[in-house]
Amino acid sequence: TGCEFQQFVDGCRSGDRIPAGVFSQTVGEKGIGRRASLGGCAGFALLPLGTTTGALVATVFVWTFGEMLTTPLLESFVASRSPVETRGQYMGLFSSAFSVAFVLAPLGGTWIYGRYGYLTLWGLCGVLGIGLWAAFFVLSATVRRHDATLQVQGLRSQVQG
C-alpha cells in the first residue's frame, strides 16, 4: 500500500545519514557543494530510467544524499559570509527563498510534467544539476580569490602596523 511504501522510503532516506557524514569529512567543505548538487539532480535525472523498485530506491538515495549535503552547506556558507550585524537578515532572506522554492517548484514541475512529459521534467533536473555544479565551481573560485585578497590585506596591515 501507499503507507507501507512511504515507510520504506522514509527508512531509506534515514539510512544514508552515516555515509553523508563520512563523505563530507572525506571531500571537505569546498568540494561538497559541487558534488552534492550534481548528485542530487542526477538522482532526479535518473528517475525515469528506473523500472524496478531497487532502481527507484537507488535514485531516492542519490537525491536525498545530495540534499543532505547541500542544505547545511548552504546555510553555513550564508551565515559565514554575512556581516555579523545583519546575519539574521541574510538568514531570513535565505529561508524565505527556500520557502518560495518549496511552493513554486512543485507548481512548475507539475506544469512541465503535464505539458511536456516526465522525460523533459527529469531531464531538466539533470541539466539543472550540471548548471549548479558549474555555479558552485565559480563560487568556490570567487571565494578563494576573495579570501586570498583579505589575507593579503591583513598581512599588509600587520606589517604597516
Side-chain angles (χ1 to χ4, degrees), residues 119-135:
L119 290 174
T120 303
L121 173 64
W122 300 123
L124 283 173
C125 287
V127 170
L128 179 64
I130 294 169
L132 286 172
W133 176 84

Side-chain angles (χ1 to χ4, degrees), residues 5-17 39-48 50 52-68 122:
F5 180 73
Q6 184 61 44
Q7 289 173 342
F8 176 73
V9 170
D10 290 343
C12 290
R13 289 181 69 124
S14 64
D16 60 1
R17 286 193 178 109
C41 291
F44 290 124
L46 294 173
L47 190 61
T52 65
T53 303
L56 295 175
V57 168
T59 62
V60 171
F61 268 114
V62 171
W63 85 60
T64 301
F65 193 72
E67 288 175 354
M68 288 173 42
W122 300 123

Side-chain angles (χ1 to χ4, degrees), residues 51-143:
T51 56
T52 65
T53 303
L56 295 175
V57 168
T59 62
V60 171
F61 268 114
V62 171
W63 85 60
T64 301
F65 193 72
E67 288 175 354
M68 288 173 42
L69 293 173
T70 304
T71 304
L73 171 78
L74 292 176
E75 290 172 352
S76 67
F77 180 78
V78 170
S80 69
R81 291 291 170 178
S82 59
V84 175
E85 60 275 0
T86 57
R87 187 163 292 155
Q89 293 173 344
Y90 276 82
M91 294 308 295
L93 180 61
F94 178 79
S95 297
S96 296
F98 263 87
S99 297
V100 169
F102 286 140
V103 171
L104 295 181
L107 293 174
T110 303
W111 181 80
I112 292 170
Y113 180 86
R115 182 152 183 135
Y116 300 105
Y118 70 93
L119 290 174
T120 303
L121 173 64
W122 300 123
L124 283 173
C125 287
V127 170
L128 179 64
I130 294 169
L132 286 172
W133 176 84
F136 273 114
F137 188 79
V138 170
L139 180 64
S140 294
T142 303
V143 167

